[in-house]
Amino acid sequence: MPRPARFRPALSRRARLGAATVATLVAGTAVFGIGQATAEHSVPRTDKEIPNLTQVQDKIKAYYGDTVTADGEHYASPRSNYAHQVRGIEAKARTYLSKALAQHGRTGMQTKPAIVLDIDDTTLLTYNYELQVGFHYTEESQDKYLAHTDMDPVFGMDRLVNWAHDKGAEVFFLTGRKEAQRAWSTRNLKNVGYGVPLDRRHVYLKDKEHPPAYLPCGATCTTIEYKSGTRKYIESLGYNIVANFGDQYSDLRGGAGDRTFKMPNPMYYLP
């Protein structure tokens, strides 16, 4: 979400509903985490090469442990395979950060340690919204949802972020959400337990109308250019990004960060 280059099935703008378990290196940094939606660029020769959309949706619901409330709202289960996978990634991140933050303190480095996190499906879970709109994202439906609804935190990420902050890491949120969604986004993060600074110095949203001077690509930035350029700007302020978290590889590519952690997301792909 807000995903400017968002592809969808049936000739839409986002490729969704395809999952691959992968472990790779991104921009020379180690990546912890598996699972991403991937874009299929080849033209199928027959229908047999195309996954059945309904069956894929059913698998996604099963993976998230789809739970439906009496009023028809869908939520992911904390006992789901998704939640289990997320907690495994978080455990690796906590182990790494314990050492990285302690080492930062011992060496007396001039820079301050920091972590950078995407918002959608990295710190806030979009599953309820995706089910509500039938995996059919539009800017209008997203605005309507965010204006009045708080998304749940990705299982355990609020605790991990607050813990890292208590251990001395400055916390920055870096999202492709548009600037007009700032108030809704910070309200949501605060309401679900992210007890860290949420001012403009710590929460970066995409502002196409008034792009910052530190992004040479201005309003035409790709996701990788926007996110890596912003991370480089954060480091220019005197921070060392010891960890970068995202659910898309475009959140992680481009450098500026010691270690990257890939969060699982089989629902959509953002180049």
Side-chain angles (χ1 to χ4, degrees):
M1 290 174 43
R3 314 152 183 160
R6 183 168 177 146
F7 297 93
R8 297 183 163 277
L11 302 180
S12 63
R13 292 192 303 133
R14 188 171 81 173
R16 303 173 158 272
L17 309 178
T21 53
V22 292
T24 186
L25 296 179
V26 174
T29 58
V31 175
F32 288 104
I34 58 175
Q36 96 172 77
T38 56
E40 177 57 67
H41 300 291
S42 62
V43 178
R45 292 169 295 179
T46 72
D47 65 305
K48 295 181 177 62
E49 297 179 26
I50 305 173
N52 181 278
L53 185 58
T54 300
Q55 291 178 337
V56 173
Q57 289 179 345
D58 288 344
K59 286 184 178 181
I60 287 177
K61 291 178 183 179
Y63 168 64
Y64 281 92
D66 186 55
T67 303
V68 185
T69 63
D71 57 358
E73 295 291 323
H74 290 257
Y75 292 94
S77 169
R79 294 181 294 277
S80 64
N81 288 339
Y82 166 77
H84 176 75
Q85 185 177 353
V86 163
R87 291 188 181 109
I89 297 167
E90 292 166 353
K92 292 179 180 178
R94 186 181 287 256
T95 298
Y96 162 74
L97 286 170
S98 294
K99 296 177 181 178
L101 295 176
Q103 183 178 14
H104 217 282
R106 288 195 302 269
T107 57
M109 295 177 64
Q110 296 301 310
T111 55
K112 183 178 175 64
I115 62 173
V116 173
L117 307 103
D118 174 52
I119 290 184
D120 291 304
D121 294 300
T122 299
T123 49
L124 297 178
L125 185 57
T126 72
Y127 183 76
N128 175 262
Y129 163 77
E130 297 291 354
L131 268 291
Q132 188 175 112
V133 299
F135 296 104
H136 183 66
Y137 163 88
T138 64
E139 287 193 5
E140 293 77 12
S141 68
Q142 186 195 46
D143 283 349
K144 182 178 179 180
Y145 188 93
L146 295 178
H148 303 290
T149 309
D150 284 335
M151 294 178 174
D152 289 335
V154 169
F155 297 112
M157 282 301 290
D158 52 335
R159 293 188 295 274
L160 177 65
V161 169
N162 293 339
W163 169 85
H165 185 254
D166 290 343
K167 292 294 183 180
E170 200 75 10
V171 177
F172 296 93
F173 296 91
L174 174 54
T175 175
R177 289 186 180 188
K178 58 190 178 184
E179 178 63 33
Q181 295 172 330
R182 176 177 295 277
W184 304 334
S185 301
T186 55
R187 177 212 70 212
N188 193 163
L189 289 165
K190 179 180 178 180
N191 285 351
V192 299
Y194 287 94
V196 297
L198 296 171
D199 54 35
R200 288 181 176 271
R201 294 178 300 159
H202 294 87
V203 181
Y204 291 83
L205 293 93
K206 202 164 190 178
D207 190 345
K208 286 188 175 183
E209 287 72 26
H210 305 285
Y214 57 78
L215 292 177
C217 48
T220 65
C221 288
T222 65
T223 300
I224 294 174
E225 289 172 335
Y226 159 62
K227 294 214 168 186
S228 64
T230 305
R231 291 195 302 273
K232 290 171 185 175
Y233 171 72
I234 291 171
E235 289 199 325
S236 76
L237 300 177
Y239 295 96
N240 173 43
I241 298 174
V242 295
N244 178 28
F245 295 79
D247 65 292
Q248 303 290 320
Y249 283 108
S250 53
D251 295 331
L252 309 176
R253 291 191 171 108
D258 296 343
R259 187 65 58 85
T260 57
F261 290 89
K262 172 69 175 63
M263 306 301 290
N265 181 3
M267 294 188 292
Y268 54 85
Y269 167 82
L270 298 174

